Amino acid sequence: ASLVSRDEIGDLAGSFRRMAGRLRSYINDLELSAQQLEEANAGLERRVVERTAALKNANEEVASALAAHEKTK
């Protein structure tokens, strides 16, 4: 039930409605951006864990190879 007033109060009410709509849109955009950042962060954290494990394995292989090489000397 929206009343339309054709005076300054009506203009002000219209401006407030438009402002409220823009604010809702900005808030929705910010919430979406925050969700996307959280998802990206979680993906990066997974990659760090995976690569850390791969580096640990590679270091262990190098250490084993080095130890085996030292034994053959």
Side-chain angles (χ1 to χ4, degrees), residues 41-60:
N41 186 47
L44 287 172
E45 287 179 7
R46 274 192 308 277
R47 289 175 60 192
V48 166
V49 168
E50 290 168 358
R51 291 192 177 174
T52 299
L55 284 172
K56 181 182 176 198
N57 289 338
N59 282 335
E60 289 171 355

Side-chain angles (χ1 to χ4, degrees), residues 27-41:
I27 289 168
N28 289 338
D29 290 347
L30 286 172
E31 288 172 345
L32 177 61
S33 293
Q35 179 183 359
Q36 290 171 337
L37 282 172
E38 287 176 17
E39 291 170 1
N41 186 47

